[in-house]
Amino acid sequence: MEGLDRAALEQVSEYFKSLAEPTRLCLINALRDGEMSVSDLAEAVESTPANVSKHLSLLASTGFVERRTQGTSVLYRIADSDIYALCDLVCGHIAKRIAAKVMSRQ
Amino acid sequence: MEGLDRAALEQVSEYFKSLAEPTRLCLINALRDGEMSVSDLAEAVESTPANVSKHLSLLASTGFVERRTQGTSVLYRIADSDIYALCDLVCGHIAKRIAAKVMSRQ
DNA sequence: TGCTTATTTAACGAATTGGTTGTATAGTAG
DNA sequence: CTACTATACAACCAATTCGTTAAATAAGCA
């Protein structure tokens, strides 16, 4: 992303922003094992269908999830599994930080 | 990050949040070639020292950058180059999306 | 010591965002 | 058709955030 101009960086930040919310990360986690309906997801993340629907719309707008209608339900699924690589990188960074903190305390 | 509880996901989201801002991404880009002072960074990203200082503090709190004092200046540098892998993953995702959009239009 | 420069911090305002509530839409069953 | 269910959407509020401005802190130098 070296040569990106301001507008491009703004777009990149939009994508990070879509992952910068615990409820959305929780939804992404819940979708690990396959597609789920909005109401099931709402139960899984302990929130309301309206709220979950809004978060899923945002995740769909950045292309991390996709939707499919089945009867009166809407099933969401992960569209780009790179999303997990992203999360793992961040988790690794956090782990590194914790390890460094432990070392410095010795 | 599969088995993370709510508190852990909140922490993960904090890290994504620190990258979810165009000015901060711009600062990270500017630091590619080595450490820079706050005022030089402010000029590079076309902002004020006060604003840049605040952004750098946030990036330091998540451990993506580190600071070093030299005289009256403070030099910042990238502390974990995984940050670029993160950005590249997001950029790749965006590129994929654009490519898919182009394909679907043919 | 006092003066200058570099950085940080505090206080403020405008804008954005997560969650709720109520309503609208769409599909299914009777 | 009506009733019911699932989802989406709009309006609203509380809380957060980005940027600015002004004041505070710290280091170097006359």
Side-chain angles (χ1 to χ4, degrees):
Chain A
M1 71 155 186
E2 191 151 5
L4 298 189
D5 63 1
R6 194 77 187 185
L9 291 179
E10 228 156 279
Q11 198 182 349
V12 173
S13 76
E14 284 303 307
Y15 283 76
F16 277 121
K17 209 171 289 181
S18 76
L19 302 178
E21 215 284 323
T23 301
R24 289 196 285 272
L25 292 179
C26 205
L27 288 169
I28 289 164
N29 251 345
L31 290 174
R32 265 179 198 273
D33 302 325
E35 57 188 6
M36 286 177 73
S37 71
V38 175
S39 43
D40 285 351
L41 281 168
E43 198 172 341
V45 307
E46 294 175 335
S47 181
T48 63
N51 190 25
V52 166
S53 173
K54 211 158 60 163
H55 282 305
L56 289 169
S57 296
L58 201 153
L59 284 173
S61 78
T62 47
F64 286 118
V65 304
E66 284 174 342
R67 35 173 290 163
R68 175 171 81 87
T69 300
Q70 187 181 56
T72 64
S73 293
V74 175
L75 303 180
Y76 280 87
R77 65 184 177 279
I78 299 296
D80 186 348
S81 47
D82 276 0
I83 202 174
Y84 294 119
L86 274 164
C87 294
D88 288 346
L89 267 174
V90 169
C91 289
H93 173 73
I94 295 175
K96 254 193 264 181
R97 292 212 73 200
I98 294 173
K101 194 165 284 181
V102 169
M103 289 292 287
S104 70
R105 278 215 195 110
Q106 73 182 353
Chain B
M1 73 155 187
E2 191 151 6
L4 299 189
D5 64 0
R6 194 77 188 185
L9 290 179
E10 228 155 280
Q11 199 182 350
V12 174
S13 76
E14 283 303 308
Y15 283 75
F16 277 120
K17 210 171 288 180
S18 76
L19 302 179
E21 216 283 325
T23 302
R24 288 196 286 273
L25 292 178
C26 205
L27 287 168
I28 289 163
N29 251 344
L31 289 173
R32 265 178 198 274
D33 302 325
E35 57 187 6
M36 287 176 72
S37 72
V38 175
S39 43
D40 285 351
L41 281 168
E43 197 171 345
V45 308
E46 294 176 333
S47 181
T48 62
N51 191 26
V52 166
S53 172
K54 215 159 53 164
H55 282 304
L56 289 168
S57 296
L58 201 154
L59 285 172
S61 77
T62 47
F64 286 118
V65 304
E66 284 175 342
R67 36 172 291 161
R68 174 172 80 88
T69 300
Q70 188 180 58
T72 65
S73 292
V74 175
L75 303 181
Y76 280 87
R77 64 184 176 280
I78 298 296
D80 185 348
S81 48
D82 275 0
I83 202 174
Y84 294 120
L86 274 164
C87 294
D88 287 345
L89 268 175
V90 170
C91 290
H93 173 74
I94 296 175
K96 254 193 263 180
R97 290 213 74 199
I98 295 173
K101 193 166 285 181
V102 169
M103 289 292 285
S104 71
R105 277 217 196 109
Q106 75 182 353

mmCIF file of all heavy atoms in Angstrom, chain A residues 32-75:
data_model
loop_
_atom_site.group_PDB
_atom_site.id
_atom_site.type_symbol
_atom_site.label_atom_id
_atom_site.label_comp_id
_atom_site.label_asym_id
_atom_site.label_seq_id
_atom_site.Cartn_x
_atom_site.Cartn_y
_atom_site.Cartn_z
ATOM 1 N N ARG A 32 -17.729 -19.099 11.464
ATOM 2 C CA ARG A 32 -16.631 -20.003 11.126
ATOM 3 C C ARG A 32 -17.120 -21.348 10.602
ATOM 4 O O ARG A 32 -16.573 -21.919 9.670
ATOM 5 C CB ARG A 32 -15.784 -20.271 12.367
ATOM 6 C CG ARG A 32 -14.587 -19.378 12.480
ATOM 7 C CD ARG A 32 -13.820 -19.691 13.743
ATOM 8 N NE ARG A 32 -12.936 -18.590 14.092
ATOM 9 C CZ ARG A 32 -11.699 -18.467 13.617
ATOM 10 N NH1 ARG A 32 -11.210 -19.351 12.803
ATOM 11 N NH2 ARG A 32 -10.955 -17.440 13.976
ATOM 12 N N ASP A 33 -18.187 -21.854 11.230
ATOM 13 C CA ASP A 33 -18.632 -23.209 10.916
ATOM 14 C C ASP A 33 -19.667 -23.258 9.800
ATOM 15 O O ASP A 33 -20.328 -24.275 9.600
ATOM 16 C CB ASP A 33 -19.200 -23.875 12.181
ATOM 17 C CG ASP A 33 -18.163 -23.906 13.291
ATOM 18 O OD1 ASP A 33 -16.968 -24.074 12.978
ATOM 19 O OD2 ASP A 33 -18.546 -23.741 14.464
ATOM 20 N N GLY A 34 -19.865 -22.155 9.112
ATOM 21 C CA GLY A 34 -20.821 -22.159 8.005
ATOM 22 C C GLY A 34 -21.860 -21.072 8.134
ATOM 23 O O GLY A 34 -21.847 -20.308 9.100
ATOM 24 N N GLU A 35 -22.766 -21.012 7.187
ATOM 25 C CA GLU A 35 -23.734 -19.924 7.150
ATOM 26 C C GLU A 35 -24.765 -20.045 8.265
ATOM 27 O O GLU A 35 -25.066 -21.140 8.737
ATOM 28 C CB GLU A 35 -24.412 -19.848 5.782
ATOM 29 C CG GLU A 35 -25.101 -21.112 5.352
ATOM 30 C CD GLU A 35 -25.599 -21.037 3.912
ATOM 31 O OE1 GLU A 35 -25.292 -20.040 3.231
ATOM 32 O OE2 GLU A 35 -26.278 -21.978 3.482
ATOM 33 N N MET A 36 -25.281 -18.873 8.651
ATOM 34 C CA MET A 36 -26.283 -18.804 9.714
ATOM 35 C C MET A 36 -27.285 -17.708 9.399
ATOM 36 O O MET A 36 -26.968 -16.748 8.695
ATOM 37 C CB MET A 36 -25.620 -18.485 11.061
ATOM 38 C CG MET A 36 -24.845 -19.629 11.682
ATOM 39 S SD MET A 36 -24.029 -19.100 13.219
ATOM 40 C CE MET A 36 -25.412 -18.974 14.343
ATOM 41 N N SER A 37 -28.487 -17.860 9.949
ATOM 42 C CA SER A 37 -29.516 -16.838 9.751
ATOM 43 C C SER A 37 -29.286 -15.660 10.694
ATOM 44 O O SER A 37 -28.553 -15.771 11.685
ATOM 45 C CB SER A 37 -30.892 -17.423 10.023
ATOM 46 O OG SER A 37 -31.040 -17.659 11.408
ATOM 47 N N VAL A 38 -29.923 -14.558 10.396
ATOM 48 C CA VAL A 38 -29.795 -13.353 11.213
ATOM 49 C C VAL A 38 -30.249 -13.616 12.650
ATOM 50 O O VAL A 38 -29.567 -13.258 13.605
ATOM 51 C CB VAL A 38 -30.613 -12.189 10.612
ATOM 52 C CG1 VAL A 38 -30.574 -10.980 11.531
ATOM 53 C CG2 VAL A 38 -30.098 -11.844 9.236
ATOM 54 N N SER A 39 -31.382 -14.277 12.785
ATOM 55 C CA SER A 39 -31.918 -14.510 14.138
ATOM 56 C C SER A 39 -31.026 -15.461 14.930
ATOM 57 O O SER A 39 -30.819 -15.265 16.124
ATOM 58 C CB SER A 39 -33.344 -15.043 14.068
ATOM 59 O OG SER A 39 -33.480 -16.017 13.066
ATOM 60 N N ASP A 40 -30.487 -16.490 14.265
ATOM 61 C CA ASP A 40 -29.573 -17.392 14.961
ATOM 62 C C ASP A 40 -28.295 -16.663 15.358
ATOM 63 O O ASP A 40 -27.770 -16.863 16.463
ATOM 64 C CB ASP A 40 -29.230 -18.599 14.074
ATOM 65 C CG ASP A 40 -30.378 -19.603 13.990
ATOM 66 O OD1 ASP A 40 -31.359 -19.440 14.756
ATOM 67 O OD2 ASP A 40 -30.312 -20.530 13.168
ATOM 68 N N LEU A 41 -27.833 -15.798 14.477
ATOM 69 C CA LEU A 41 -26.642 -15.018 14.797
ATOM 70 C C LEU A 41 -26.912 -14.080 15.967
ATOM 71 O O LEU A 41 -26.067 -13.913 16.848
ATOM 72 C CB LEU A 41 -26.183 -14.222 13.575
ATOM 73 C CG LEU A 41 -25.407 -15.016 12.518
ATOM 74 C CD1 LEU A 41 -25.261 -14.222 11.229
ATOM 75 C CD2 LEU A 41 -24.040 -15.426 13.051
ATOM 76 N N ALA A 42 -28.103 -13.500 15.967
ATOM 77 C CA ALA A 42 -28.463 -12.591 17.054
ATOM 78 C C ALA A 42 -28.409 -13.317 18.391
ATOM 79 O O ALA A 42 -27.900 -12.777 19.380
ATOM 80 C CB ALA A 42 -29.858 -12.018 16.818
ATOM 81 N N GLU A 43 -28.900 -14.547 18.383
ATOM 82 C CA GLU A 43 -28.865 -15.341 19.611
ATOM 83 C C GLU A 43 -27.414 -15.680 19.981
ATOM 84 O O GLU A 43 -27.012 -15.564 21.140
ATOM 85 C CB GLU A 43 -29.680 -16.618 19.404
ATOM 86 C CG GLU A 43 -30.075 -17.313 20.708
ATOM 87 C CD GLU A 43 -31.036 -18.457 20.457
ATOM 88 O OE1 GLU A 43 -31.647 -18.472 19.367
ATOM 89 O OE2 GLU A 43 -31.184 -19.321 21.329
ATOM 90 N N ALA A 44 -26.650 -16.056 18.956
ATOM 91 C CA ALA A 44 -25.257 -16.469 19.189
ATOM 92 C C ALA A 44 -24.422 -15.349 19.801
ATOM 93 O O ALA A 44 -23.586 -15.596 20.670
ATOM 94 C CB ALA A 44 -24.625 -16.952 17.888
ATOM 95 N N VAL A 45 -24.653 -14.122 19.359
ATOM 96 C CA VAL A 45 -23.841 -13.013 19.867
ATOM 97 C C VAL A 45 -24.577 -12.219 20.949
ATOM 98 O O VAL A 45 -24.109 -11.169 21.373
ATOM 99 C CB VAL A 45 -23.393 -12.066 18.727
ATOM 100 C CG1 VAL A 45 -22.718 -12.852 17.620
ATOM 101 C CG2 VAL A 45 -24.574 -11.271 18.199
ATOM 102 N N GLU A 46 -25.735 -12.733 21.334
ATOM 103 C CA GLU A 46 -26.509 -12.102 22.415
ATOM 104 C C GLU A 46 -26.828 -10.638 22.120
ATOM 105 O O GLU A 46 -26.484 -9.744 22.891
ATOM 106 C CB GLU A 46 -25.748 -12.215 23.743
ATOM 107 C CG GLU A 46 -25.627 -13.661 24.222
ATOM 108 C CD GLU A 46 -24.772 -13.782 25.468
ATOM 109 O OE1 GLU A 46 -23.927 -12.899 25.689
ATOM 110 O OE2 GLU A 46 -24.933 -14.769 26.207
ATOM 111 N N SER A 47 -27.503 -10.456 20.982
ATOM 112 C CA SER A 47 -27.930 -9.113 20.607
ATOM 113 C C SER A 47 -29.307 -9.210 19.934
ATOM 114 O O SER A 47 -29.892 -10.281 19.910
ATOM 115 C CB SER A 47 -26.903 -8.492 19.663
ATOM 116 O OG SER A 47 -27.300 -7.186 19.310
ATOM 117 N N THR A 48 -29.795 -8.093 19.420
ATOM 118 C CA THR A 48 -31.107 -8.085 18.768
ATOM 119 C C THR A 48 -30.949 -8.310 17.264
ATOM 120 O O THR A 48 -29.912 -7.946 16.681
ATOM 121 C CB THR A 48 -31.802 -6.734 18.986
ATOM 122 O OG1 THR A 48 -31.010 -5.703 18.371
ATOM 123 C CG2 THR A 48 -31.940 -6.448 20.464
ATOM 124 N N PRO A 49 -31.960 -8.895 16.611
ATOM 125 C CA PRO A 49 -31.900 -9.073 15.163
ATOM 126 C C PRO A 49 -31.652 -7.766 14.420
ATOM 127 O O PRO A 49 -30.883 -7.745 13.454
ATOM 128 C CB PRO A 49 -33.286 -9.632 14.830
ATOM 129 C CG PRO A 49 -33.703 -10.351 16.058
ATOM 130 C CD PRO A 49 -33.154 -9.549 17.198
ATOM 131 N N ALA A 50 -32.283 -6.685 14.861
ATOM 132 C CA ALA A 50 -32.105 -5.391 14.181
ATOM 133 C C ALA A 50 -30.651 -4.940 14.216
ATOM 134 O O ALA A 50 -30.091 -4.515 13.205
ATOM 135 C CB ALA A 50 -32.992 -4.344 14.822
ATOM 136 N N ASN A 51 -30.056 -5.082 15.381
ATOM 137 C CA ASN A 51 -28.660 -4.671 15.527
ATOM 138 C C ASN A 51 -27.739 -5.550 14.692
ATOM 139 O O ASN A 51 -26.860 -5.060 13.976
ATOM 140 C CB ASN A 51 -28.279 -4.741 17.015
ATOM 141 C CG ASN A 51 -26.938 -4.117 17.289
ATOM 142 O OD1 ASN A 51 -26.488 -3.266 16.540
ATOM 143 N ND2 ASN A 51 -26.293 -4.573 18.348
ATOM 144 N N VAL A 52 -27.966 -6.854 14.769
ATOM 145 C CA VAL A 52 -27.140 -7.795 14.013
ATOM 146 C C VAL A 52 -27.291 -7.551 12.519
ATOM 147 O O VAL A 52 -26.311 -7.565 11.769
ATOM 148 C CB VAL A 52 -27.515 -9.244 14.390
ATOM 149 C CG1 VAL A 52 -26.943 -10.237 13.392
ATOM 150 C CG2 VAL A 52 -27.028 -9.555 15.790
ATOM 151 N N SER A 53 -28.517 -7.303 12.087
ATOM 152 C CA SER A 53 -28.764 -7.038 10.668
ATOM 153 C C SER A 53 -27.952 -5.845 10.183
ATOM 154 O O SER A 53 -27.381 -5.857 9.092
ATOM 155 C CB SER A 53 -30.253 -6.787 10.452
ATOM 156 O OG SER A 53 -30.495 -6.369 9.125
ATOM 157 N N LYS A 54 -27.886 -4.826 11.030
ATOM 158 C CA LYS A 54 -27.132 -3.626 10.661
ATOM 159 C C LYS A 54 -25.643 -3.933 10.543
ATOM 160 O O LYS A 54 -24.977 -3.515 9.599
ATOM 161 C CB LYS A 54 -27.398 -2.520 11.689
ATOM 162 C CG LYS A 54 -27.338 -1.145 11.112
ATOM 163 C CD LYS A 54 -28.090 -0.102 11.926
ATOM 164 C CE LYS A 54 -27.578 0.055 13.348
ATOM 165 N NZ LYS A 54 -28.050 1.329 13.941
ATOM 166 N N HIS A 55 -25.123 -4.691 11.504
ATOM 167 C CA HIS A 55 -23.700 -5.049 11.455
ATOM 168 C C HIS A 55 -23.387 -5.909 10.241
ATOM 169 O O HIS A 55 -22.362 -5.731 9.587
ATOM 170 C CB HIS A 55 -23.320 -5.789 12.735
ATOM 171 C CG HIS A 55 -23.122 -4.887 13.916
ATOM 172 N ND1 HIS A 55 -22.244 -3.828 13.903
ATOM 173 C CD2 HIS A 55 -23.680 -4.883 15.140
ATOM 174 C CE1 HIS A 55 -22.279 -3.215 15.076
ATOM 175 N NE2 HIS A 55 -23.151 -3.827 15.844
ATOM 176 N N LEU A 56 -24.295 -6.838 9.927
ATOM 177 C CA LEU A 56 -24.069 -7.726 8.785
ATOM 178 C C LEU A 56 -24.102 -6.945 7.469
ATOM 179 O O LEU A 56 -23.317 -7.229 6.556
ATOM 180 C CB LEU A 56 -25.116 -8.835 8.766
ATOM 181 C CG LEU A 56 -24.972 -9.889 9.877
ATOM 182 C CD1 LEU A 56 -26.197 -10.779 9.943
ATOM 183 C CD2 LEU A 56 -23.712 -10.724 9.668
ATOM 184 N N SER A 57 -24.987 -5.961 7.388
ATOM 185 C CA SER A 57 -25.036 -5.120 6.187
ATOM 186 C C SER A 57 -23.701 -4.428 5.971
ATOM 187 O O SER A 57 -23.194 -4.352 4.852
ATOM 188 C CB SER A 57 -26.123 -4.065 6.325
ATOM 189 O OG SER A 57 -27.380 -4.675 6.408
ATOM 190 N N LEU A 58 -23.135 -3.937 7.078
ATOM 191 C CA LEU A 58 -21.851 -3.249 6.970
ATOM 192 C C LEU A 58 -20.758 -4.216 6.525
ATOM 193 O O LEU A 58 -19.959 -3.914 5.636
ATOM 194 C CB LEU A 58 -21.509 -2.627 8.326
ATOM 195 C CG LEU A 58 -20.500 -1.493 8.291
ATOM 196 C CD1 LEU A 58 -20.728 -0.566 9.460
ATOM 197 C CD2 LEU A 58 -19.078 -2.024 8.334
ATOM 198 N N LEU A 59 -20.752 -5.411 7.125
ATOM 199 C CA LEU A 59 -19.743 -6.412 6.748
ATOM 200 C C LEU A 59 -19.925 -6.846 5.294
ATOM 201 O O LEU A 59 -18.951 -7.166 4.609
ATOM 202 C CB LEU A 59 -19.836 -7.626 7.681
ATOM 203 C CG LEU A 59 -19.256 -7.432 9.085
ATOM 204 C CD1 LEU A 59 -19.567 -8.629 9.967
ATOM 205 C CD2 LEU A 59 -17.743 -7.211 9.015
ATOM 206 N N ALA A 60 -21.173 -6.843 4.830
ATOM 207 C CA ALA A 60 -21.437 -7.212 3.439
ATOM 208 C C ALA A 60 -20.960 -6.103 2.498
ATOM 209 O O ALA A 60 -20.456 -6.379 1.412
ATOM 210 C CB ALA A 60 -22.923 -7.474 3.244
ATOM 211 N N SER A 61 -21.093 -4.861 2.956
ATOM 212 C CA SER A 61 -20.697 -3.733 2.110
ATOM 213 C C SER A 61 -19.185 -3.695 1.907
ATOM 214 O O SER A 61 -18.696 -3.168 0.919
ATOM 215 C CB SER A 61 -21.174 -2.423 2.714
ATOM 216 O OG SER A 61 -20.338 -2.028 3.781
ATOM 217 N N THR A 62 -18.442 -4.243 2.850
ATOM 218 C CA THR A 62 -16.986 -4.334 2.673
ATOM 219 C C THR A 62 -16.595 -5.702 2.116
ATOM 220 O O THR A 62 -15.401 -5.993 1.956
ATOM 221 C CB THR A 62 -16.243 -4.077 3.990
ATOM 222 O OG1 THR A 62 -16.859 -4.835 5.040
ATOM 223 C CG2 THR A 62 -16.275 -2.612 4.356
ATOM 224 N N GLY A 63 -17.577 -6.523 1.836
ATOM 225 C CA GLY A 63 -17.297 -7.782 1.147
ATOM 226 C C GLY A 63 -16.736 -8.888 2.009
ATOM 227 O O GLY A 63 -16.215 -9.875 1.489
ATOM 228 N N PHE A 64 -16.812 -8.765 3.317
ATOM 229 C CA PHE A 64 -16.301 -9.838 4.176
ATOM 230 C C PHE A 64 -17.323 -10.961 4.343
ATOM 231 O O PHE A 64 -16.962 -12.096 4.592
ATOM 232 C CB PHE A 64 -15.882 -9.288 5.539
ATOM 233 C CG PHE A 64 -14.603 -8.513 5.500
ATOM 234 C CD1 PHE A 64 -14.585 -7.172 5.849
ATOM 235 C CD2 PHE A 64 -13.419 -9.106 5.099
ATOM 236 C CE1 PHE A 64 -13.397 -6.442 5.804
ATOM 237 C CE2 PHE A 64 -12.232 -8.385 5.051
ATOM 238 C CZ PHE A 64 -12.227 -7.052 5.400
ATOM 239 N N VAL A 65 -18.615 -10.629 4.202
ATOM 240 C CA VAL A 65 -19.653 -11.667 4.246
ATOM 241 C C VAL A 65 -20.574 -11.522 3.028
ATOM 242 O O VAL A 65 -20.611 -10.465 2.395
ATOM 243 C CB VAL A 65 -20.500 -11.579 5.543
ATOM 244 C CG1 VAL A 65 -19.632 -11.650 6.776
ATOM 245 C CG2 VAL A 65 -21.330 -10.306 5.543
ATOM 246 N N GLU A 66 -21.298 -12.602 2.740
ATOM 247 C CA GLU A 66 -22.276 -12.581 1.655
ATOM 248 C C GLU A 66 -23.605 -13.113 2.173
ATOM 249 O O GLU A 66 -23.634 -13.872 3.136
ATOM 250 C CB GLU A 66 -21.782 -13.453 0.488
ATOM 251 C CG GLU A 66 -20.696 -12.796 -0.329
ATOM 252 C CD GLU A 66 -20.121 -13.736 -1.379
ATOM 253 O OE1 GLU A 66 -20.321 -14.970 -1.256
ATOM 254 O OE2 GLU A 66 -19.454 -13.241 -2.288
ATOM 255 N N ARG A 67 -24.711 -12.726 1.517
ATOM 256 C CA ARG A 67 -26.010 -13.156 1.973
ATOM 257 C C ARG A 67 -26.742 -13.992 0.925
ATOM 258 O O ARG A 67 -26.494 -13.876 -0.281
ATOM 259 C CB ARG A 67 -26.893 -11.986 2.389
ATOM 260 C CG ARG A 67 -26.745 -10.709 1.586
ATOM 261 C CD ARG A 67 -27.795 -9.715 2.000
ATOM 262 N NE ARG A 67 -29.110 -10.157 1.569
ATOM 263 C CZ ARG A 67 -30.262 -9.706 2.022
ATOM 264 N NH1 ARG A 67 -30.253 -8.783 2.948
ATOM 265 N NH2 ARG A 67 -31.416 -10.151 1.581
ATOM 266 N N ARG A 68 -27.645 -14.808 1.421
ATOM 267 C CA ARG A 68 -28.429 -15.691 0.569
ATOM 268 C C ARG A 68 -29.771 -15.851 1.255
ATOM 269 O O ARG A 68 -29.840 -16.052 2.463
ATOM 270 C CB ARG A 68 -27.705 -17.041 0.509
ATOM 271 C CG ARG A 68 -28.430 -18.126 -0.242
ATOM 272 C CD ARG A 68 -27.510 -19.314 -0.405
ATOM 273 N NE ARG A 68 -27.478 -20.146 0.795
ATOM 274 C CZ ARG A 68 -28.346 -21.139 1.046
ATOM 275 N NH1 ARG A 68 -29.295 -21.404 0.195
ATOM 276 N NH2 ARG A 68 -28.238 -21.854 2.151
ATOM 277 N N THR A 69 -30.837 -15.669 0.473
ATOM 278 C CA THR A 69 -32.172 -15.769 1.051
ATOM 279 C C THR A 69 -32.677 -17.198 0.949
ATOM 280 O O THR A 69 -32.515 -17.856 -0.078
ATOM 281 C CB THR A 69 -33.126 -14.824 0.298
ATOM 282 O OG1 THR A 69 -32.656 -13.491 0.417
ATOM 283 C CG2 THR A 69 -34.527 -14.928 0.875
ATOM 284 N N GLN A 70 -33.269 -17.647 2.046
ATOM 285 C CA GLN A 70 -33.885 -18.982 2.043
ATOM 286 C C GLN A 70 -35.212 -18.884 2.784
ATOM 287 O O GLN A 70 -35.225 -18.796 4.006
ATOM 288 C CB GLN A 70 -32.964 -20.000 2.717
ATOM 289 C CG GLN A 70 -33.484 -21.426 2.574
ATOM 290 C CD GLN A 70 -32.583 -22.439 3.254
ATOM 291 O OE1 GLN A 70 -32.313 -22.332 4.447
ATOM 292 N NE2 GLN A 70 -32.111 -23.410 2.499
ATOM 293 N N GLY A 71 -36.284 -18.889 2.039
ATOM 294 C CA GLY A 71 -37.589 -18.700 2.647
ATOM 295 C C GLY A 71 -37.675 -17.303 3.214
ATOM 296 O O GLY A 71 -37.305 -16.335 2.541
ATOM 297 N N THR A 72 -38.111 -17.205 4.434
ATOM 298 C CA THR A 72 -38.197 -15.872 5.048
ATOM 299 C C THR A 72 -36.889 -15.506 5.737
ATOM 300 O O THR A 72 -36.734 -14.388 6.217
ATOM 301 C CB THR A 72 -39.317 -15.821 6.099
ATOM 302 O OG1 THR A 72 -38.993 -16.721 7.152
ATOM 303 C CG2 THR A 72 -40.640 -16.229 5.494
ATOM 304 N N SER A 73 -35.959 -16.461 5.773
ATOM 305 C CA SER A 73 -34.687 -16.205 6.453
ATOM 306 C C SER A 73 -33.628 -15.714 5.479
ATOM 307 O O SER A 73 -33.734 -15.913 4.269
ATOM 308 C CB SER A 73 -34.187 -17.466 7.142
ATOM 309 O OG SER A 73 -35.029 -17.812 8.202
ATOM 310 N N VAL A 74 -32.633 -15.067 6.037
ATOM 311 C CA VAL A 74 -31.465 -14.678 5.255
ATOM 312 C C VAL A 74 -30.252 -15.318 5.895
ATOM 313 O O VAL A 74 -30.017 -15.147 7.093
ATOM 314 C CB VAL A 74 -31.305 -13.144 5.220
ATOM 315 C CG1 VAL A 74 -30.016 -12.772 4.504
ATOM 316 C CG2 VAL A 74 -32.500 -12.503 4.533
ATOM 317 N N LEU A 75 -29.530 -16.089 5.096
ATOM 318 C CA LEU A 75 -28.340 -16.769 5.615
ATOM 319 C C LEU A 75 -27.094 -16.002 5.203
ATOM 320 O O LEU A 75 -26.923 -15.664 4.028
ATOM 321 C CB LEU A 75 -28.286 -18.199 5.072
ATOM 322 C CG LEU A 75 -29.515 -19.065 5.363
ATOM 323 C CD1 LEU A 75 -29.347 -20.460 4.779
ATOM 324 C CD2 LEU A 75 -29.763 -19.136 6.861
#
